[in-house]
Amino acid sequence: MAVKSVIEAVREAMREEMRRDERVFVMGEDVGWRGGVFLATQGFIEEFGEARVIDTPLAEASIMGIALGASFRGLHPIAEVEFADFVWPTVNQLIGEAARVCYGTDGKLNAPMTIRIPYGGGIRGGLYHSQSVEAYFFHTPGLKVVAPATPYDAKGLLKASIRDNNPVVFLEHKKTYRLVRGEVPEDDYVLPIGRAEVKRAGSSITLVSYGLMLHYCLEAAEQLAAEGVAQVEVVDLRTLRPLDTATVLESVKKTGKLLIVHEDNITGGVGSEIAALAADAAFDYLDAPITRLCGPDVPTMPFAQTLEDAYMPNTHKIAEALRTLAAY
Amino acid sequence: MAVKSVIEAVREAMREEMRRDERVFVMGEDVGWRGGVFLATQGFIEEFGEARVIDTPLAEASIMGIALGASFRGLHPIAEVEFADFVWPTVNQLIGEAARVCYGTDGKLNAPMTIRIPYGGGIRGGLYHSQSVEAYFFHTPGLKVVAPATPYDAKGLLKASIRDNNPVVFLEHKKTYRLVRGEVPEDDYVLPIGRAEVKRAGSSITLVSYGLMLHYCLEAAEQLAAEGVAQVEVVDLRTLRPLDTATVLESVKKTGKLLIVHEDNITGGVGSEIAALAADAAFDYLDAPITRLCGPDVPTMPFAQTLEDAYMPNTHKIAEALRTLAAY
Amino acid sequence: MTQAGTQTTDGIAGGIAGPLEVDGIDMSRRLPQGVAPEDLVDIYRRMVLVRALDERIWMMNRQGKVPIAASGQGHEAAQMGSLLAAEKDGNCFFFPYYRDLSIKMSGLTPTQVMLSFMGKAGDAYSNARQFPLQGADLAHNIIQLSNVVAASLTQSVGYALGCRMLGDERVTLVYFGDGASSQGETHEAMNFAGVHRLPVVFICENNGYAISVPQRLQMAIGDVAGRAEGYGFPGLVVDGMDLLHSYEATAEAIAHARREGPVLLEMKVERLMPHTTDDDDSRYRPREEVEAAKLRDPVATLGAYLLAEAFLTEEQEEEIKAQARRAVNEATDAADATPPPDAGEMLKHVYAP
Amino acid sequence: MTQAGTQTTDGIAGGIAGPLEVDGIDMSRRLPQGVAPEDLVDIYRRMVLVRALDERIWMMNRQGKVPIAASGQGHEAAQMGSLLAAEKDGNCFFFPYYRDLSIKMSGLTPTQVMLSFMGKAGDAYSNARQFPLQGADLAHNIIQLSNVVAASLTQSVGYALGCRMLGDERVTLVYFGDGASSQGETHEAMNFAGVHRLPVVFICENNGYAISVPQRLQMAIGDVAGRAEGYGFPGLVVDGMDLLHSYEATAEAIAHARREGPVLLEMKVERLMPHTTDDDDSRYRPREEVEAAKLRDPVATLGAYLLAEAFLTEEQEEEIKAQARRAVNEATDAADATPPPDAGEMLKHVYAP
Ligand SMILES: Cc1ncc(C[n+]2csc(CCOP(=O)(O)OP(=O)(O)O)c2C)c(N)n1
Ligand SMILES: Cc1ncc(C[n+]2csc(CCOP(=O)(O)OP(=O)(O)O)c2C)c(N)n1
Ligand SMILES: [Mg+2]
Ligand SMILES: [Mg+2]
């Protein structure tokens, strides 16, 4: 199998789906001749033409509304929000409208659209190019929310998202784009939305994460194994909504201890829901307080290197939290 | 003390603050001669004139951006979003901009604005006039979020919000407007933002809620007391952000059992954070699974009476959940 | 490029000939090409029915049986005129707004309308999950997902983009109020439609108010139509109290949209009732203004015109009204006897399979 | 009402007289009233410094010391012309955007600029919490909270509303690009400003691109200025490569704004560099176009004009450039030697006391 980066996997998924299905098209700022600011659509306009690769005006609300309207006509738009930080103008259409198409029409109409959103930090993006926005969509019934960590998952899940008959918010961590590489099959494959994966089996602590942080979690887990402190089971959520509660709870019931890691702000983040689920459905199995290691409650990470480093959870901090939990 | 409704308390708070401080003004759709669709600003334009009571164009993004800009000039705008369901166009300014004024200028600039948002259901509002939106703002560092349940709290906290130097999202449950009445002092008083209140003392179960649901919780607690099943302690959060974790945890440590009730969708709601906090900081005191009774994961409540009733948590459902918890 | 209110596009608004005035509205034009007297009689029949339903719905609200309704009274000529043009065209898709009862009635029986307003099982738009007649009636090419003002504009433009991609010849009509013109999304929708010359007709039903906010506080201009120029397509002011003018303008706009791209029609209308059943317009609207508006009632105007032109006899006209009354009575009884949807429906259809 | 590019308001754009052409730009007008040759020499000195800084910042990015920068090269005449007008007015407030280095330089030393671009402690805008020169410099009447395109427009209108309420005479200037004109918030901001006739000057620096998206895909019109009519105030096309034209237009616009309400100035400029240091414009922009634009370099144009008019000698001109080089070198060294802010700063100032 060829080794590819996350951005290559994303590009391949879209290209294959556009070749496979005429109803699929991409739209967004700079997706045309520029090939996207992260080059996710590089070469697309040359292959598919201006009609299916639409450089939109700089107007995010309309990108979402127009994608939604096109989906009403049976198309499968892939709308790109250039950076997660600019998603706000879209939410009237995304949270207010797209999420309710099926419910609000008693199942008569649906919105088969994919919204690709590069998110996250650690790239010196400062307050307006680093944000994690998953919690907002995670809380919204009617949306699906996917957040892969590896090239393999990114490709399989993006293809699934494009084929899905619902609005899928597809979150791509910007720092993983070129940093994370892995094997990706050449042939067509699709991964199911809504399934977490145990990326590392273990028995003493359950560590739940997604996106960039998953890789730091795996590193920390290796570290603790090497130190002989704990065998950490690492669960990659992959899909945030619908959440694969079964996989999480099964792991927690086995280990009795739970650490949740995400880069997003801690209060009201996805981690709070994981904790709440476990504190209810796995209560009798818990041997220690449910702990979270997440971004602090400041408006995403600042620009200066020192400040960004201070914000970001990392392998070292995760290992520390695991040690505390192991010792409990 | 005079007995007043929530809407009267809200109106009084604004009128007193506008009389007290020239920098305070109101803006929003229909706040002028109409006096607001819920009559929150009834009589204001007559008293304060068109310059301080601004009927805006139908454009929520600008309502928020203009209020924010005016706050930069040192004014204390009170911006009304006509219904919570229409808040989405504002979030680019509210979540993206207002919440970061202080942080993004290293504390040099601030945004002393209040955003009043009538929210919530049980009023046959259907999908677009019933929504609870608190979780989105609750997750946003830089915002304060207030959600009073009683006329007394509404007045004292709205006055505090108007005087606060930060953007405060002030959530008024529409169903409480005329339904809930209570004593409100005539004189000027201000309640601190960020303090929960034990609205009913108890020893066997902690019941955490806010807004309309608080009243159903109190009814259910009385019911259980009357039945001799449990002495339920009811904590009214009043402020969602910053959260008064001390009051919540103190109660949970005392009772060992926790039920959280809100009307908003369960997944990723405010309740998940309360649960997560308790599952961490009060873990050793817990005698039962942390339970939540919240709105189901459908896009807010549908229009038909049957469907709306099916969605809404109520006294009966809360009492049932309390009984289960008591029996654990 | 055409100027709002001053010039015409594709000959729209031509044809005004003589001095026949009905209630102050000039109705003396020749019948537009392709419109027969029977068409107008049929439209009148439907207008009378819509009006009768509209009035009954308001009454039912006062009786506590209809939680909320926005009345279309005063907007009927604009709505019906545009609808007639679209029906004659035969390949149009509609994104109406909450005040467009006439448009949505096109595919429904009176009973279906009543079921919807009363929140009963079998509501054709959302099975009573939503406000009345909100959701979709795909069988009749109608989507109105929400009542969030202006949210449908970008959707309609996207729909038109989809039509273009699929290579069909469909034209999309999207309806909205003067208040909606202020929303940022309205700007974005028109801008995109202009750039891509999409087959969309933007129909602004300008009644001078957004709930209580009068036009002078909504915009610093007289005609919304004038904004079209800034998007590179024509905008026209239309007398929306005049069925024929509304018809002609829309017919030309549909043809233009299919051939060359978007058109903005600003239909000047009167809101004869308060904003919705929840509103009390006496707080903000002079009584004389409402009374004056009622003298220009578009239903009465069309009726008088048909009588004057002898397209209809007085007896026929009476029978049309009697029929409407009977239909509304039957519909009300039928809907009243229908239960609301089963509580178990509440959890269904959050996601499509 | 004035038409974009065709008429003038308050005499704006008058005064063009003779045939003196510098690099294809007509520079032969009389000096505008109130502008002395020394003013222009001073402006030139500042332009040269800004350009030198801009070039150095780009270089520092390539060396890995500046994470990101948007160059203002090509926009300097528009920015400096408007700035000069505002400075002469003496009571203006600025909401610039990320490309407005010339505006933000007005209050800063070169070292402060370098600290900001390198993310070092002491950055005057945000103490290195934000992208370079983003945050606020209240001492110099400047706010640029974010680089979210068009987010500052409603804020600037609100600021102007606040000024009106406090009864001061301040005029607010807000800057944005052609891409920003598509945002819904831009529409909403202009509409509100028009309704309330607020003292705002909207300055669109139209360089024909939004990152890679050319104007033809951004809008179906030639001039953004034409949209002002739809908001009930004047809009003008300005040659933003021409300092004097930019100055005159802005001076008149400020006076008009204070007296009568908003003005939209569309300054036609050229982006001489890629969008930012992250961009590679060869993917989407013809090389010849860039080369042709560089021939119209506004700094060179002004320099040539000053020499031609004998407002400056060649030696003086050389000394100005040498001074700028020295200042930039010193600033770079000073900033390089400064540490980034302490990690402990990260948790501070989420809320105001
Ligand atoms: C985004 C949004 N904001 C506010 C409302 C509340 N609201 C409902 S109708 C209306 C006025 C609409 O006026 P206009 O567009 O002129 O249409 P009209 O009702 O006059 O036909 C308002 C403010 C809404 N439904 N959606
Ligand atoms: C809301 C938003 N969307 C997207 C971006 C990414 N972005 C940054 S600058 C830019 C182009 C802006 O073009 P224009 O307004 O013409 O200004 P210019 O850079 O050409 O001066 C884009 C798309 C952004 N910063 N904000
Ligand atoms: Mg209206
Ligand atoms: Mg540009």
Side-chain angles (χ1 to χ4, degrees), chain D residues 177-179 205 207-210:
Chain D
D178 45 300
E205 300 179 30
N207 58 18
Y209 286 91

Side-chain angles (χ1 to χ4, degrees), chain A residues 250-328:
Chain A
E250 199 186 310
S251 177
V252 174
K253 287 178 182 173
K254 185 174 67 179
T255 63
K257 293 181 178 178
L258 174 58
L259 173 66
I260 306 148
V261 175
H262 56 63
E263 177 184 325
D264 193 9
N265 309 114
I266 186 164
T267 297
V270 171
S272 63
E273 181 65 31
I274 310 284
L277 286 168
D280 184 355
F283 179 74
D284 290 331
Y285 301 83
L286 289 174
D287 299 325
I290 298 174
T291 48
R292 289 177 290 165
L293 175 65
C294 304
D297 275 344
V298 308
T300 199
M301 65 208 74
F303 179 63
Q305 191 69 66
T306 41
L307 306 180
E308 185 175 86
D309 290 346
Y311 178 103
M312 284 291 267
N314 58 28
T315 305
H316 173 74
K317 295 177 193 173
I318 297 167
E320 270 303 304
L322 286 170
R323 279 185 209 107
T324 308
L325 207 50
Y328 190 87

Side-chain angles (χ1 to χ4, degrees), chain B residues 6-47:
Chain B
V6 170
I7 191 73
E8 284 164 347
V10 163
R11 191 184 304 130
E12 243 179 60
M14 287 194 283
R15 189 162 37 211
E16 286 177 19
E17 291 304 300
M18 286 183 73
R19 284 180 184 162
R20 196 184 59 79
D21 185 347
E22 284 237 311
R23 298 168 308 169
V24 180
F25 72 97
V26 298
M27 60 184 294
E29 293 156 14
D30 305 291
V31 299
W33 297 106
R34 180 75 178 77
V37 289
F38 297 104
L39 304 183
T41 52
Q42 193 173 22
F44 280 37
I45 201 163
E46 291 85 349
E47 176 170 355

Side-chain angles (χ1 to χ4, degrees), chain D residues 156-179:
Chain D
S156 69
V157 168
Y159 190 90
L161 178 69
C163 293
R164 154 89 48 88
M165 284 185 171
L166 296 184
D168 67 30
E169 294 275 291
R170 193 171 281 181
V171 172
T172 301
L173 276 60
V174 58
Y175 296 77
F176 54 102
D178 45 300

